[in-house]
Amino acid sequence: MDMFPMPTRGRPVVKNGHTAVRQLRYLPAVGAAYGVEVLSFTGLRKTDTERRRARLQRPDFHVLALVTEGSGAHEADFQHHRLHEGSVVWIRPGVVHRWSDIDRIDGFLILFQPGFLPDLGLETTGAASTVCWRLSSQALPLAVLAAEHLEREHRTAVRSPRLASSALLSHLLAALVLRVLPEASAPLPHNTTGSGPLETFHAYRTAVEEHFTEWHQVADYAQELGYDTRTLTRATRAATGTGAKTFLDQRILLEAKRLLAHTDLPVGSCAHRLGFRDTGNFTTFFRRQTGLAPTAWTASLHPCPGDHPHPAPGPRVP
């Protein structure tokens, strides 16, 4: 897959409210259209000669990375992470991120489409948690074996389509995800009747993604989905550790930060895009969530020259 498409396939401009973030669509390489693709950091550096990896990007697919050697840096939605041997990075669809420094690391890059995992719980697990964590020295070799198995089967599928099996690739990906998940994480029990908390939260999260710029109250989603607000709160707390209202507010806040940081929109236009009645209501909401007014928060980013407004702190790895 070309993870860093040319401008004709992205929108890298920052004028009149357009985004400075490159929008990436899932476009697998020829012969590799199985819903998952396995790459390496070494291979990425060889093909990405223009270093587009270091620019802001927003994929519509999952990116699961496993670092097997070296050190580097990564940034996702205003959070900076140092990468080391054993680091796992899970970029979910819609997250704004960039590979700040991967010049001296290697490992696996697994790209896969939403819904490709065989169990909804695996995709939902950790949906509101950090995108980066580190495996123990005991877990890393097992994770590498799982990634190698997936890589081998994917390579076989590309070279010998008659041996390809999307179901097999899907389950091997699931095995890798289970192996790299933080020890404290575990998928919620899958309820085959479709009425369990996992399905409820998934429906709520999907509705939030579709309507958070219109609906700012949990009651709106409860009415749309046919649930009681307490049901949505219980399901969201079970899946993310926070209530439904907090989950919704955090989603609105994240998009507000993206607009403020990555576009030239004034505060009033950001408020309008996010469904607030006026700038005052938006400012009150933003200040309540962050402790800062939108303009003060934007100023705190301290933009620097270059193609990214707030690079990862600290020196580059020699």
Side-chain angles (χ1 to χ4, degrees):
M1 171 181 287
D2 182 0
M3 289 182 65
F4 309 100
M6 296 303 291
T8 55
R9 287 162 58 186
R11 293 180 295 166
V13 296
V14 60
K15 296 179 180 179
N16 300 321
H18 290 289
T19 180
V21 179
R22 191 175 299 273
Q23 307 293 318
L24 302 185
R25 293 179 292 125
Y26 187 83
L27 295 173
V30 176
Y34 298 106
V36 64
E37 188 166 359
V38 184
L39 310 173
S40 69
F41 284 103
T42 297
L44 175 59
R45 289 193 295 269
K46 288 180 179 179
T47 57
D48 180 32
T49 57
E50 297 181 8
R51 298 184 63 83
R52 285 175 284 174
R53 60 184 178 270
R55 304 172 192 170
L56 288 171
Q57 55 196 263
R58 188 175 189 174
D60 67 0
F61 49 89
H62 294 267
V63 180
L64 182 64
L66 174 62
V67 178
T68 57
E69 59 181 86
S71 299
H74 177 264
E75 178 186 341
D77 279 331
F78 315 105
Q79 297 295 318
H80 305 277
H81 306 282
R82 298 302 302 176
L83 303 179
H84 305 278
E85 179 182 349
S87 290
V88 177
V89 180
W90 190 343
I91 303 301
R92 298 172 187 271
V95 169
V96 176
H97 80 110
R98 72 180 189 117
W99 298 105
S100 311
D101 176 11
I102 58 168
D103 291 348
R104 292 172 177 81
I105 70 174
D106 202 6
F108 299 90
L109 280 167
I110 295 93
L111 291 68
F112 60 98
Q113 291 179 297
F116 186 74
L117 282 165
D119 187 338
L120 177 62
L122 292 175
E123 190 169 322
T124 303
T125 298
S129 61
T130 181
V131 302
C132 183
W133 61 93
R134 195 171 184 181
L135 298 179
S136 67
S137 58
Q138 294 79 22
L140 177 58
L142 296 173
V144 170
L145 286 174
E148 288 176 342
H149 194 174
L150 176 61
E151 179 186 40
R152 189 176 302 113
E153 288 290 347
H154 178 261
R155 186 168 59 245
T156 298
V158 172
R159 294 176 179 177
S160 304
R162 64 183 181 83
L163 297 176
S165 170
S166 292
L168 177 60
L169 291 171
S170 174
H171 282 81
L172 288 175
L173 175 62
L176 173 60
V177 169
L178 285 170
R179 181 52 67 189
V180 302
L181 282 176
E183 294 180 3
S185 298
L188 290 172
H190 184 68
N191 188 316
T192 56
T193 65
S195 61
L198 176 59
E199 288 79 6
T200 301
F201 170 68
H202 181 72
Y204 177 58
R205 184 180 63 173
T206 300
V208 167
E209 285 299 315
E210 293 177 356
H211 299 292
F212 72 86
T213 60
E214 311 164 66
W215 303 341
H216 294 179
Q217 301 300 323
V218 177
D220 295 325
Y221 297 91
Q223 181 177 356
E224 173 71 12
L225 298 172
Y227 292 113
D228 185 271
T229 56
R230 290 172 295 182
T231 299
L232 292 183
T233 294
R234 286 193 296 267
T236 305
R237 192 176 304 280
T240 69
T242 63
K245 177 57 174 172
T246 298
F247 180 85
L248 174 59
D249 286 347
Q250 288 300 307
R251 182 63 186 91
I252 298 170
L253 176 64
L254 176 57
E255 203 65 27
K257 288 180 175 180
R258 289 170 174 170
L259 289 172
L260 291 167
H262 306 316
T263 77
D264 60 356
L265 286 171
V267 173
S269 296
C270 292
H272 177 73
R273 284 202 179 188
L274 293 171
F276 288 88
R277 292 194 304 272
D278 52 48
T279 304
N281 284 329
F282 172 65
T283 298
T284 298
F285 167 83
F286 196 93
R287 191 190 299 274
R288 184 169 62 246
Q289 298 296 323
T290 68
L292 295 172
T295 51
W297 181 85
T298 304
S300 71
L301 297 178
H302 301 300
C304 299
D307 61 13
H308 191 269
H310 40 282
R316 293 174 64 85
V317 177

